[in-house]
Amino acid sequence: MGDKSRKNSTTQDVEANGTSDQQQQVEAVAKAVHGHPVSEHPTTYCETLMHLLKGNIGCGMLAMGDAFRNGGLLMAPILTVFIGTVCIYNNHILLNVAHKLKSRLKLEHCPTFSETVELSFATGPKSLQKHADLFRTTVNVFVIITQLGFCCVYILFVSNSIKQFCDEYGTVLDIHIHMIFALVPIMSCAMIRNLKFIAPLSTAANISMAIGLGIILSYCVVDLPALNSRTAVAHWSQIPLFFGTAIYAFEGISLVLPLQLEMKTPNRFASTMGVLNVGMTIVTFIILTMGFVGFWRFGDDVKGSLTLNLPPTLILSKIVVGLMVFAIICTYTLQFYVPVAILWPSVQEKYGPFQSPALAEYLLRAALVFATFLAAEVIPHLALFISLVGAIASTFLALIFPPICHMVVWKDEGFGAFNWKLHMDIITILLGLLGFVTGTYFSLHDIIVAFSKDFGFH
């Protein structure tokens, strides 16, 4: 699509809304859109489903037993289904808004997450237009920090798991040595440049995770106590802790646009029986099962990860740890794909053209892997800071930005009977704000407590 036709179409849309200043801004934004180019190695339905499952099945799922302790055996399943439904709805909203903007502005490529937010604000009310660039940058920063933050946590998880295994067999080394060992396979996997070739890793990781979860469940269902011995509805003050863990477990909105546009048949991603609905239904079922059975079996003694409730001398515990380490390394590769996809076009634009673009991208990937490695090495209580970043960044990405964009873009097209879509957007935003406030509060509280212990304060 040429610049002339894109400009004419953009002008027509803008004239319906406002001034020439808005017209010029939208034209400038539209021309600057990199978008998601057509993949040279498109993925199949099954490969994309494997990616979606891997992006949503990880450390958060192992913490759902503890989450159910903070929700109650009766209340937690209801809240889990509600939060899962809201997250799936927001994934669809983001996809719909991105494709609506592509069609309305005659863009050559579908906009990225941050470009979708920017274009929504640029074509919206005048009071929002001046903030369009700021919110694009904010979304990019939140996505990069969130994804790389998860990668840092994965390095710590892998390193500590390896150390636990080695210590039991008499090879006691400093955790930092184990982190160096963990860097080798992680760096190797991070060099895979497209989703088509990541697909086998996602499949293998999903198989490993499924076997590991199966072993955990097989242990949990032995000697189950009476259901009425567990709290049905937890105290209201514990609900924010449940909410934070559940949102973390469902986090994966940054992947939906790249996954859809990497498919051979993108229209099968968001259809009724498409990748998104099928995949997230599976994810919700697994989250419900792990949380319910974990809390039912261990009650108030359930740990932050169900793997910690397995007896360390049990041979199955060692098998589970090994499977989880492999799965998390593969998950690192998939989570790492998103920040690279955001940063690489900017690097090309600022420092390119490169004589060897592939080599330049490999160097960027290596630099980012080392950055996550150094962060995991240097920053104390990294997991607590990641929880804080997740409470701020992940909540805004998953629950606040998509409905705001939907309200702006759909304002002239209606929101369905009784404005139910508008009401859903408002409920989602309020839920996100609640998660932001409570998650931030409890994360800051834990950080203060941890550092007080480090420095001898009580």
Side-chain angles (χ1 to χ4, degrees):
M1 181 67 65
D3 289 340
K4 183 177 180 180
S5 61
R6 182 187 304 175
K7 179 177 179 180
N8 289 339
S9 176
T10 302
T11 302
Q12 293 172 3
D13 288 315
V14 173
E15 285 175 351
N17 287 331
T19 65
S20 59
D21 289 339
Q22 183 185 9
Q23 173 184 332
Q24 294 173 2
Q25 180 179 5
V26 175
E27 289 178 0
V29 172
K31 290 179 180 179
V33 167
H34 292 291
H36 294 280
V38 177
S39 174
E40 295 179 1
H41 305 281
T43 56
T44 65
Y45 180 100
C46 290
E47 289 171 339
T48 308
L49 180 61
M50 290 299 103
H51 287 319
L52 182 69
L53 292 175
K54 192 71 235 74
N56 286 276
I57 298 176
C59 299
M61 196 161 293
L62 296 173
M64 285 307 297
D66 184 62
F68 271 54
R69 179 179 63 84
N70 290 313
L73 209 56
L74 176 63
M75 179 64 72
I78 297 173
L79 293 177
T80 299
V81 172
F82 173 72
I83 292 173
T85 301
V86 170
C87 288
I88 296 172
Y89 174 81
N90 274 9
N91 287 339
H92 280 286
I93 285 297
L94 177 62
L95 291 169
N96 291 339
V97 170
H99 289 289
K100 173 66 73 174
L101 289 170
K102 180 191 177 198
S103 174
R104 180 181 294 178
L105 301 178
K106 308 300 182 187
L107 301 176
E108 184 177 353
H109 299 299
C110 187
T112 63
F113 192 166
S114 62
E115 290 167 346
T116 297
V117 174
E118 180 183 24
L119 288 169
S120 298
F121 278 69
T123 57
K126 189 174 181 179
S127 58
L128 299 179
Q129 295 165 19
K130 61 183 178 181
H131 302 299
D133 183 66
L134 171 63
F135 280 98
R136 174 185 59 80
T137 302
T138 301
V139 170
N140 274 335
V141 170
F142 279 0
V143 170
I144 291 171
I145 290 177
T146 301
Q147 298 301 117
L148 293 182
F150 291 157
C151 291
C152 293
V153 173
Y154 295 159
I155 290 177
L156 289 174
F157 178 88
V158 171
S159 304
N160 281 293
S161 298
I162 295 175
K163 178 174 173 55
Q164 179 184 3
F165 183 83
C166 292
D167 286 354
E168 188 171 345
Y169 286 93
T171 306
V172 180
L173 298 173
D174 188 83
I175 184 63
H176 300 291
I177 302 298
H178 290 289
M179 292 177 72
I180 294 175
F181 292 151
L183 182 62
V184 176
I186 288 174
M187 178 69 77
S188 301
C189 292
M191 292 299 109
I192 301 176
R193 298 171 57 199
N194 62 68
L195 287 175
K196 178 69 175 179
F197 301 135
I198 296 176
L201 285 180
S202 289
T203 302
N206 285 330
I207 293 173
S208 297
M209 186 69 73
I211 296 173
L213 294 179
I215 293 174
I216 293 173
L217 286 175
S218 68
Y219 178 81
C220 290
V221 296
V222 176
D223 297 327
L224 286 170
L227 280 172
N228 58 14
S229 66
R230 303 303 182 210
T231 303
V233 179
H235 191 269
W236 66 267
S237 63
Q238 295 176 264
I239 300 300
L241 295 174
F242 166 85
F243 178 86
T245 305
I247 287 294
Y248 179 88
F250 279 109
E251 204 283 329
I253 195 170
S254 302
L255 288 170
V256 295
L257 277 168
L259 287 179
Q260 184 192 45
L261 295 163
E262 287 278 348
M263 288 186 70
K264 292 179 181 178
T265 53
N267 61 314
R268 297 187 66 193
F269 186 84
S271 59
T272 302
M273 293 301 295
V275 171
L276 181 57
N277 288 342
V278 172
M280 292 307 295
T281 299
I282 295 173
V283 168
T284 303
F285 175 77
I286 297 175
I287 286 176
L288 278 170
T289 302
M290 296 303 297
F292 190 89
V293 174
F295 179 53
W296 184 10
R297 173 66 172 80
F298 300 109
D300 291 338
D301 293 328
V302 68
K303 306 295 184 182
S305 173
L306 286 177
T307 56
L308 300 177
N309 283 106
L310 300 179
T313 56
L314 192 67
I315 186 63
L316 289 179
S317 300
K318 300 178 179 62
I319 296 175
V320 168
V321 170
L323 291 169
M324 293 302 174
V325 166
F326 175 76
I328 291 301
I329 290 176
C330 296
T331 304
Y332 182 106
T333 307
L334 185 59
Q335 300 287 8
F336 189 74
Y337 176 86
V338 176
V340 172
I342 292 173
L343 292 172
W344 176 238
S346 299
V347 171
Q348 283 182 304
E349 183 177 342
K350 185 172 183 179
Y351 300 104
F354 299 104
Q355 290 185 345
S356 176
L359 177 60
E361 184 178 343
Y362 283 133
L363 291 175
L364 172 65
R365 288 172 173 271
L368 290 176
V369 172
F370 274 116
T372 61
F373 171 77
L374 291 176
E377 278 273 11
V378 173
I379 302 175
H381 304 296
L382 178 66
L384 296 179
F385 282 106
I386 296 305
S387 297
L388 176 62
V389 171
I392 299 173
S394 295
T395 300
F396 270 88
L397 293 175
L399 297 179
I400 296 179
F401 282 129
I404 289 177
C405 292
H406 184 249
M407 292 167 67
V408 172
V409 172
W410 253 261
K411 65 183 184 300
D412 297 324
E413 301 188 26
F415 294 95
F418 305 105
N419 287 325
W420 74 269
K421 293 181 181 179
L422 177 61
H423 296 150
M424 186 67 177
D425 288 339
I426 294 173
I427 291 173
T428 303
I429 293 171
L430 292 176
L431 181 64
L433 290 175
L434 175 65
F436 163 70
V437 173
T438 56
T440 301
Y441 170 79
F442 284 106
S443 295
L444 286 173
H445 177 268
D446 289 346
I447 289 173
I448 292 172
V449 170
F451 275 92
S452 296
K453 291 180 179 179
D454 286 347
F455 291 101
F457 299 115
H458 300 285

